[in-house]
Amino acid sequence: MAKGGKAPKGRKITLNVAKNCIKVTFDGKKRLDLSKMGITTFPKCILRLNDVDEIDLSRNLIRKIPDSISKFQNLRWLDLHSNYIDKLPESIGQITTLLYLNVSNNKLTTNGLPVELNQLKNLRTVNLGLNHLDNVPTTLGALKDLHEVGLHDNLLTTIPPNIFKLPKLKKLNTKRNPFPKTDDMDAFVDTIKRLETLYLVEEKDLCSNCLRKCQLAREKLNKIKSTAPAAPRKPVFANLVSPNSAAKDNQEDWRMHPAESS
């Protein structure tokens, strides 16, 4: 904060500056990259560039996103991470072409996320990590195309079941939240750890040696099951076996967990 309590004056972005910041991605999409430019206010001039496919306003000092963001009707990728945003406008739900939304490392609370997010039916990746969320937005459960969800570093004490039931969910990051130390949560974390080293394949795709190793491993697990006090569960993947390979996630930034099968 500058002397006198005034916010620092940010860099002014003109239309010409914005035009010079448009890049073409490897797949031919137009990306407006205004990241790390010391911007304090959403530059209204970029509304005249509403044919861009991607916008990067990350690592700035922006506090508010205007309702006019909905004018970007071709937008598929919006990165607003590392700003000071405490609320998203309701109009963001009108950008139904959006596939990727990153609003991590802001000042967002659960109340700052509009219900209209449930209109983003094509959304595949959403990162809400490093905010002040005390509840998972119920709107996420309506986004059936979600593949990756970031909820890490918030104030969450529980994850609603409808998140785990998202049909296409592959990665879920809930690290560093104040979850209660209960048996159910421990079991949930243990399940994720075990799934982290599991591949599922059909028998026909394995060589004879690998197939035999898998069969022996399954027999060993069945023996453990038979001696357990609880009744064994009916297997969900009856025709699949697990080879002796380790699954590793190479995305260091997200460090997402595979989600449970619904």
Side-chain angles (χ1 to χ4, degrees), residues 173-188:
N173 189 351
T174 60
K175 287 185 174 182
R176 295 177 295 278
N177 278 285
F179 295 121
K181 294 293 184 180
T182 64
D183 292 340
D184 289 342
M185 185 54 67
D186 289 341
F188 162 65

Side-chain angles (χ1 to χ4, degrees), residues 2 7 76 212 236 249:
R76 66 170 193 168
R212 182 55 185 158
V236 179
D249 184 0

Side-chain angles (χ1 to χ4, degrees), residues 246-257:
K248 293 183 179 179
D249 184 0
N250 291 324
Q251 297 188 22
E252 291 298 328
D253 291 337
W254 275 66
R255 298 181 64 85
M256 307 291 284
H257 289 301

